[in-house]
Amino acid sequence: MKIVIKPEKGLGKIEVEISAEIWSEIVRLSERYGVPPGRVITLALTGEFKESKGELEKLEETAKELEGKVWELEKEYAPLRFKAYGLSEDNKLLAIELSGLMAENNGLRRFLRQPINRNPELRKLISYYLQG
């Protein structure tokens, strides 16, 4: 396989012939680290790569342990979130019922020719529970 290396500026370019074995290794590294093959070649030519000192495996183990802890916490808090959702829905239903009772009360007050109660604080509370 032929690789053509062009500079960012200027006209010079380098053509290199590489074997299929080397290309397959480049592709393997590219897939392993999630970078394009061109970046693997650039890193190899410029020597910008760093040798792993065994820290990668240690970090992967730590990440797996933390993921396990996260799932344990998820198991613990999932029922609480479900109960909170149920309470939120109950609050919405109560707010709807209270709104209806307030409207009925105001209708009766109109019928009896009494002053209507506006209750702005209560209406704000009802709208809060209906939004959430």
Side-chain angles (χ1 to χ4, degrees), residues 5 14 25 31 36 38 41 52 55 61 73 76-77 93 105 116 121 126:
I5 302 169
I14 301 170
E25 185 66 20
E31 291 171 354
I41 294 169
S52 174
E55 295 174 3
E61 288 176 21
L73 290 172
E76 184 178 333
Y77 289 109
L93 293 174
N105 188 13
I116 298 173
E121 301 87 22
I126 289 171

Side-chain angles (χ1 to χ4, degrees), residues 25-40:
E25 185 66 20
I26 289 171
V27 170
R28 186 185 69 76
L29 289 171
S30 169
E31 291 171 354
R32 179 177 177 189
Y33 295 108
V35 295
R39 179 76 175 135
V40 172

Side-chain angles (χ1 to χ4, degrees), residues 85 88-89 92 126-132:
Y85 174 75
S88 167
E89 292 300 309
K92 280 183 186 179
I126 289 171
S127 68
Y128 171 78
Y129 282 112
L130 289 178
Q131 290 174 0

Side-chain angles (χ1 to χ4, degrees), residues 16-58:
V16 179
E17 189 73 32
I18 61 170
S19 67
E21 181 182 321
I22 293 174
W23 178 250
S24 65
E25 185 66 20
I26 289 171
V27 170
R28 186 185 69 76
L29 289 171
S30 169
E31 291 171 354
R32 179 177 177 189
Y33 295 108
V35 295
R39 179 76 175 135
V40 172
I41 294 169
T42 304
L43 288 173
L45 291 175
T46 59
E48 293 178 13
F49 53 90
K50 296 179 181 177
E51 290 293 325
S52 174
K53 298 177 183 174
E55 295 174 3
L56 185 61
E57 291 81 15
K58 183 179 177 183

Side-chain angles (χ1 to χ4, degrees), residues 109-125:
R109 284 184 166 278
R110 273 192 215 106
F111 179 73
L112 297 173
R113 295 189 177 129
Q114 291 183 352
I116 298 173
N117 289 340
R118 299 284 180 212
N119 292 332
E121 301 87 22
L122 193 55
R123 292 191 183 276
K124 285 181 187 177
L125 190 62

